[in-house]
Amino acid sequence: MISLVIQNIIFAVLVCGLVFIIKILDGKILGLKWILASVLSLWLAGISNIFFSLDLISLSLLLGGVALGIYGLILVSKEKEKNKNRVINSIESAVESIIEKSTAKGIAVIYNGESENSKFVFKYGSEGECLMMTIPIELGDNSTCYVALFGDKPFVNFRREDFESEISFLKLYIENLKLSEKVKFVEDESVKVKNSIYEFVHILAHELKKPLTGIIGFSEILRDEFKNLSDKDIIDFTTNIKRSADEMLMMLKYLAEIFEIETGKDSLNLERFKASEIVDDVLAYFSGEIGRKKLSLVLDIDRDFEIEADRKKFREVVYQLVSNAVKFSYEGGVIKISLKSFDDLVELVVKDEGIGIRREDMQKIFKPFPRIKSHLNGTGLGLALAKYLVELHGGEINVSSEYGKGSEFRVILPSKRGVNKFKNGVVENCEMI
């Protein structure tokens, strides 16, 4: 009798153990359920034979239990063989395998793409559960992607070495994806550059047409009508030819400087000098034009400080801003120039009361050959060059303007090499370009 009790206790423990295992595995291995049914059938067969002596029923339960056990073992064997021979050949098969092995409810693969603000997220299964684990995967370019597992319980038994095949495939897949993205990005940028070059050449040809037309026209008149022209006519024609040639030469000079800066071939020849001397020199150069237009100058210049910069390039920046103010000021207008030094920064402000800039043109004025309605002549290369030169020094240039009432250009430069220009309170009330 005691042996029978022991046998039943063993059967009960076995049944409870199988139920517990099936619950842990969440029913992933279907064969275990049939084995559990087999154990229960054999247990019932034993009890039936002991207490009821129903040989036919006991025999049926016994045979049924054996059949269920064999069927369950076959299913377990097939499941094991399936997992052994699982081929990870797609991202779907990789994440399916991770979900099955980890008993996760859902999975997401996340990494930053090549293009700006690009983020790749591959989702599989349900994300309705809590995020329970994040697995980092180091890629070949020293970046990291992440595999996020979602579930209703912590993955306490998770071992990374059990998922090496899946993780290796995900790593290879994402590296190939990033490589293809990079190739596409380069191809897209190449197309953009090519289109920009075509557009630039087209605009340049259009801009050179005007001075060339003047040179050719006046040259033909001089050639064909030279004997019939007065000395004054000849001087006027040659002056116009020179003016057109100077315009072309200046245009090409600015383009060459911009090209050198863009391609990284230009560099700064730093030296210390008084910035006020450069401003005085530029104002003296424009004194004739200022006098002709009867413009008034209001100067607020600190003459005591020195700046560490490229003297030639700093002069070019001042020249372009003053030239712009003089050119577009109304006759009898006022030009205000401020030059200050504070917090290791230099601030140059040139303000005029001229024609101003339309709001829709504000984003164009620092680009070569801007097509804007505010300026009726000029190529706009001067302001574009000024912006390039300021940024080459590690500074920034801003503009604020009201159409019909004037413009204000503000330049912020570090007074010495290595100073951070971005400090609170330096640039105020300006529209950033």
Side-chain angles (χ1 to χ4, degrees), residues 290-404:
I290 291 172
R292 187 185 67 80
K293 297 184 72 171
K294 299 178 182 179
L295 301 174
S296 299
L297 290 178
V298 177
L299 304 180
D300 183 13
I301 297 177
D302 184 351
R303 301 185 177 278
D304 297 329
F305 73 92
E306 289 186 340
I307 182 175
E308 184 179 2
D310 188 306
R311 181 190 294 267
K312 180 181 177 182
K313 290 178 172 57
F314 179 75
R315 186 186 186 282
E316 187 68 52
V317 172
V318 178
Y319 173 90
Q320 294 300 338
L321 297 185
V322 173
S323 172
N324 191 75
V326 172
K327 182 187 297 184
F328 298 109
S329 287
Y330 297 118
E331 188 171 337
V334 177
I335 296 177
K336 298 179 181 180
I337 299 177
S338 171
L339 180 65
K340 298 291 182 181
S341 174
F342 53 91
D343 295 336
D344 294 325
L345 296 172
V346 176
E347 179 189 62
L348 171 67
V349 181
V350 179
K351 184 177 182 180
D352 64 69
E353 298 177 350
I355 64 176
I357 306 167
R358 297 178 190 273
R359 189 166 190 80
E360 61 267 26
D361 294 331
M362 293 287 284
Q363 301 297 325
K364 304 176 185 177
I365 61 172
F366 289 118
K367 297 179 180 179
F369 306 118
R371 297 298 182 182
I372 60 179
K373 299 176 182 178
S374 303
H375 302 135
L376 301 179
N377 52 49
T379 62
L381 287 173
L383 288 177
L385 177 61
K387 182 176 186 293
Y388 278 108
L389 294 176
V390 167
E391 292 178 348
L392 186 62
H393 278 85
E396 61 184 17
I397 183 170
N398 310 285
V399 61
S400 59
S401 180
E402 185 176 355
Y403 186 64

Side-chain angles (χ1 to χ4, degrees), residues 21-40:
I21 291 172
I22 292 172
K23 186 175 181 181
I24 289 178
L25 295 177
D26 199 20
K28 295 294 183 180
I29 303 178
L30 298 177
L32 290 179
K33 293 182 179 180
W34 292 102
I35 293 176
L36 175 61
S38 170
V39 171
L40 288 173

Side-chain angles (χ1 to χ4, degrees), residues 14 38 73 113 135 208 212 377:
L14 183 59
S38 170
L73 290 172
I135 309 166
L208 288 175
L212 276 174
N377 52 49

Side-chain angles (χ1 to χ4, degrees), residues 201-215:
V201 171
H202 175 75
I203 294 174
L204 179 60
H206 181 271
E207 294 295 331
L208 288 175
K209 187 182 297 183
K210 179 183 174 182
L212 276 174
T213 300
I215 292 173

